[in-house]
Amino acid sequence: MIWGITLILLSIIAVPSLLLSKKPNAKELLEKIEPYQGWIGIVFCFWGVWGLITAILNLGWLQVAPIWWITFLAGNLISAILGFMLGSGLINKLFLSKNEIAKAKADEFRAKIAPKQGKLGIFGIIVGIWMIVASFLFTIS
């Protein structure tokens, strides 16, 4: 359930225009979060990568609960990508500043997926809600 809640929160940060159209006073909140957006992105990027590793290490879940495993994999993939998108500036500054080739590839990847950030954020909200529901339906013991 925590994976779904965090994915929803990340997705809301990733689609501020959607949030602003629904709640006009959300602009103040988003302005407060903006200085921390890079750090939030880095944390969620690593959180998503850790979830992907966890999903791969637990391939046995495919036999027990395939829908949950696919949901878990999709949610963490979205979390890693959205986290990368939000934290890309800080990631470049902290981790890739010494390696120009890696920095260029990261910028190229970011430029490719940037136009899809809004749609990915909305999809992240949907998958996050489904992750919460699925955590109750498909418990793995």
Side-chain angles (χ1 to χ4, degrees):
M1 183 175 4
I2 291 174
W3 296 91
I5 293 169
T6 57
L7 180 59
I8 292 170
L9 293 174
L10 175 66
S11 299
I12 288 172
I13 293 170
V15 286
S17 58
L18 175 74
L19 187 62
L20 290 175
S21 68
K22 301 291 181 197
K23 286 191 135 280
N25 61 346
K27 184 174 183 166
E28 297 165 7
L29 177 64
L30 289 173
E31 286 174 353
K32 289 178 185 175
I33 293 173
E34 193 172 332
Y36 308 105
Q37 184 173 326
W39 288 107
I40 292 169
I42 288 175
V43 168
F44 277 101
C45 182
F46 285 116
W47 177 272
V49 169
W50 177 254
L52 291 172
I53 292 168
T54 302
I56 291 168
L57 290 176
N58 291 298
L59 281 173
W61 290 355
L62 273 171
Q63 293 176 344
V64 180
I67 295 172
W68 171 245
W69 187 85
I70 292 167
T71 301
F72 189 71
L73 183 72
N76 284 294
L77 182 63
I78 294 168
S79 182
I81 293 171
L82 283 176
F84 174 78
M85 292 172 79
L86 291 174
S88 64
L90 198 57
I91 290 171
N92 285 346
K93 181 180 170 185
L94 295 176
F95 301 112
L96 303 176
S97 61
K98 304 230 187 299
N99 188 342
E100 290 301 320
I101 296 170
K103 189 175 180 180
K105 287 189 179 193
D107 287 339
E108 181 182 321
F109 179 67
R110 169 81 169 104
K112 250 188 224 182
I113 59 176
K116 297 170 179 58
Q117 182 172 337
K119 291 178 185 174
L120 190 61
I122 293 169
F123 186 59
I125 292 171
I126 294 167
V127 171
I129 292 168
W130 171 246
M131 285 181 86
I132 293 169
V133 172
S135 71
F136 290 112
L137 296 176
F138 308 106
T139 43
I140 300 172
S141 27

